[in-house]
Amino acid sequence: YLPAGFKYWTERDFSLNREHPPLTKLLAAAPLLALHLKSPPDFGGNTHNPQAAAERQMKFGSTFLFAQDADAIIFWGRLPMVAVGLLLGSCIFFWAKQLHGHAGAGLLSVFLFSLEPTLIAHSHYVTTDLAIAAFSVFTMFFLYRFSRKAQLLQLAIAAIGLGLAMASKFSAIFLCPVFFFLLHYRWPTRELAASRPGYNRLSGRIIISMVALVMTGVTIQATYLFSSDLSLYWKGLLAVNANELPQSLLTYVHGQF
């Protein structure tokens, strides 16, 4: 992910590791831009052939890391993941505080969160799992705030969060129908009716939903650095698992592979 993210930033080439969205890779690779690193040869290969694509990724990634200072690259690449973990913890704190009306509830929630084994495992690795968790909770937190406060700014932030979640891991695409279902199911009818009567009508809801959908799409496209190819997300979605070679995936149990 780190070498792929570096290639995205420096060459605007998203063909490497396209079976995962770019956000995590871009976040992790951002500090590497200050290290004056060199991008190795691409090694070419047929990216439509799973075997060739997998070999291309391994060769490019290994050369990028181990032909340079791998320790420094990995250290700086992991720091943004720590920040994403802190974002997730912050959302949990403020959501629990708002639900129960007391900071102690937020502190207790963060205490339990900090002991969660999956978080401890993933919050310092360059993987997509922490990012989708953080931005999914971020999205639902601001959607909840919109349902309570009827502030369109809260919905706009939630829509951006949805785009960031979908740009973190392709499985977040299942969050999209959940988001828009909850948006209408928990629509703050009374508050909007009092402040903006037009927004309470069905036409107003549809317009607001369409604007939120567009904001989500623009956010996703921004993670592709506004590439002229608007189909990159769809192509990546179709490539999920395409480069997975079952014979190369080892399982570790009880000290043995």
Side-chain angles (χ1 to χ4, degrees):
Y1 296 151
L2 269 175
F6 186 81
K7 189 175 182 67
Y8 297 168
W9 279 120
T10 56
E11 301 178 27
R12 302 298 195 269
D13 181 359
F14 293 90
S15 63
L16 191 69
N17 194 240
R18 69 170 58 189
E19 64 270 25
H20 298 287
L23 180 59
T24 299
K25 292 171 277 187
L26 288 172
L27 290 175
L32 305 186
L33 299 177
L35 300 182
H36 307 292
L37 301 173
K38 295 182 179 179
S39 184
D42 197 343
F43 300 102
N46 181 8
T47 56
H48 299 290
N49 180 284
Q51 180 74 41
E55 291 179 354
R56 176 195 177 204
Q57 293 188 40
M58 294 302 294
K59 288 180 181 178
F60 184 89
S62 297
T63 305
F64 177 84
L65 287 173
F66 300 112
Q68 305 178 90
D69 189 346
D71 288 338
I73 293 173
I74 293 173
F75 172 80
W76 287 106
R78 287 180 173 182
L79 282 183
M81 296 300 100
V82 176
V84 172
L86 293 174
L87 171 65
L88 177 54
S90 299
C91 290
I92 289 174
F93 171 82
F94 286 109
W95 201 346
K97 179 183 176 183
Q98 187 166 342
L99 279 172
H100 301 283
H102 196 282
L107 291 174
L108 177 60
S109 298
V110 170
F111 172 73
L112 296 173
F113 163 76
S114 66
L115 300 178
E116 209 286 311
T118 310
L119 171 78
I120 297 172
H122 286 273
S123 61
H124 61 289
Y125 285 137
V126 182
T127 63
T128 57
D129 305 276
L130 180 67
I132 186 177
F135 291 116
S136 295
V137 173
F138 177 91
T139 298
M140 289 304 170
F141 174 50
F142 279 95
L143 185 61
Y144 167 79
R145 287 173 61 89
F146 170 72
S147 71
R148 298 290 297 271
K149 297 181 178 298
Q151 296 175 349
L152 293 179
L153 176 61
Q154 308 291 335
L155 179 58
I157 297 173
I160 293 172
L162 177 61
L164 294 176
M166 294 177 67
S168 299
K169 198 176 183 73
F170 280 121
S171 53
I173 195 169
F174 296 108
L175 185 65
C176 195
V178 174
F179 177 91
F180 286 100
F181 170 77
L182 290 176
L183 171 61
H184 288 275
Y185 183 72
R186 297 300 301 270
W187 191 270
T189 305
R190 294 180 180 177
E191 292 85 345
L192 279 179
S195 58
R196 305 174 183 87
Y199 292 168
N200 189 36
R201 301 192 187 101
L202 178 60
S203 59
R205 290 193 183 195
I206 293 174
I207 292 173
I208 292 173
S209 298
M210 292 301 296
V211 171
L213 184 62
V214 169
M215 292 185 68
T216 299
V218 170
T219 302
I220 293 174
Q221 191 61 17
T223 65
Y224 285 95
L225 305 180
F226 294 106
S227 169
S228 58
D229 186 353
L230 300 180
S231 65
L232 285 175
Y233 190 83
W234 175 248
K235 290 177 181 177
L237 195 62
L238 296 178
V240 172
N241 297 327
N243 296 338
E244 296 290 354
L245 304 176
Q247 66 272 20
S248 68
L249 300 179
L250 301 177
T251 301
Y252 180 81
V253 180
H254 293 298
Q256 295 183 342
F257 284 101

